[in-house]
Amino acid sequence: MSSTVNYPFPKNFIWGAATAATQIEGAAAEDGKGPSIWDDFSKQPGRVHGGHTPEIACDHYHRFPEDIRLIRKLGLKNYRLSIAWPRILPEGRGAINQRGLDFYRRLIDTLLDHEITPWVTMFHWDLPLALEHQGGWRNRGTAEAFGTYADTIVKALGDRVKNWITLNEIPCFIGLGYKEGRHAPGAKESPRVINQAYHHAILAHGQGVRAVREHGGRGARVGLTHNPETAIPLLEIPTDIAAARRSFAERNAHILAPIFHGRYPAEYLRRCGADRPVVAKGDFALIAQPTDFLGINIYTGYFVRAKGSRAEALPFPAQYPRAASEWLYLAPQAMYWVLNHCHALYQPKAMYVTENGVGYDDEPAANGEYLDLHRRDYLRQSLLHIQRATQEKIPCKGYFLWSLIDNFEWADGYTRRFGIVHNDFETQKRTPKLSAHWYQQVVKQNRLL
Ligand code: PNW
């Protein structure tokens, strides 16, 4: 067999699946957990599709042993989960809720018993509501409170967790949450407030890195998970590639540049003008501490071509194919290009795709199976582009599929299923879809099938 049809992945490539606390746990007010901004937001009329709330979700809080057996059965040796800040510190700061810590200890011990390595995200959008009442991410104090929270969880779990992710997708929880108002807390703030909120978020990332360095113990690793807006060169020719690279650097300037280069680019500050963020002394030293990897969540991209010396981003025509999730334009080349751009611009030591997947409203076929051929194809295309990157020695070291199981898809509620395992939200019955069986084989053989 020729190697071109083989599509092997590098030895020791990490294969996993990802979830997040709010989206699967349920038990929103159990065992002392405080309310998060998503608990509150979802109760406001017209915010979340169908008035759905994360109150029960996949009931993973009670069913995690079953779910972990499923992860094991699928042959996944790595699992990315998030810790709910308001479960640990119900008020965001101050008193620790021991029962919250105990839950994550049990969860992580069960993973380890099944020889599954946990990859733990410290913050996946569920800000304690009490902190939002003090300004949320508009307030620099939130970054400091995050530092104390990070200290708490790393001290409590650092003996068993070695892979830490500080924050998930800053552009979503700041941009969608505070600028566009589509996500919790549903605010529409001015550019000045938004730029400052972004700064507080990268400051919190710095606090997370510091906490892992101070308390993580031997072998602890840490990085940010970012979801870059990803420019795909229209043609793979030097001029379009250079234009795409420029567009990519520009759109991610407020996050990747300070983290990897220790400053805001002059061009970004010019764009902000009088609304530029206020930076305190020492901020960049915290923000730009070296990390061990960059996590990348990638679902879609946009096409760019060179127009003279400018980079022109092309609007998608109405008929361009998308998933059921309307923002999810099908552009699998984004996977290759996000890795290529990040490697060229920032040289992270390693990159992990910490999320990739696709939302459809799956229905069972006549025989009862979930024949999600469209999801399978999306995932397969994505992996093909990772494989290309790894062949070119771009250091992409692993892949976490979003998501293990259908879950609470934020403002879309329980529609837009991303799982490779179907969940019946009435009965909580889990049923692996065709894509799960396919992924199981890919992981087992460490090559694309
Ligand atoms: C990411 N958009 O969210 C999150 O990290 C996951 O929690 C989420 O379930 C997954 O991707 C699928 O959506 C996004 O509207 C949510 O552009 C919305 C957008 C992008 C990413």
Side-chain angles (χ1 to χ4, degrees), residues 170-186:
I170 296 172
C172 276
F173 71 83
I174 302 296
L176 299 180
Y178 289 88
K179 183 177 168 200
E180 294 178 32
R182 288 197 281 137
H183 278 189

Side-chain angles (χ1 to χ4, degrees), residues 321-330 358-360:
R322 338 179 193 186
S325 302
E326 283 176 10
W327 51 273
L328 212 163
Y329 292 97
L330 303 177
V358 68
Y360 286 111

Side-chain angles (χ1 to χ4, degrees), residues 19-20 23 80 124-125 168-169 172 176 180 182-183 225 227 297 299-300 325-328 354-359 402-403 407-410 412 416 418:
T19 63
Q23 296 180 271
R80 175 177 175 234
H124 199 126
W125 306 358
N168 182 71
E169 298 194 351
C172 276
L176 299 180
E180 294 178 32
R182 288 197 281 137
H183 278 189
T225 276
N227 59 318
N297 291 356
Y299 292 89
T300 186
S325 302
E326 283 176 10
W327 51 273
L328 212 163
T354 41
E355 285 182 26
N356 171 249
V358 68
W402 184 273
S403 180
N407 57 49
F408 178 72
E409 178 52 17
W410 308 112
D412 288 330
R416 310 302 188 250
F418 278 78

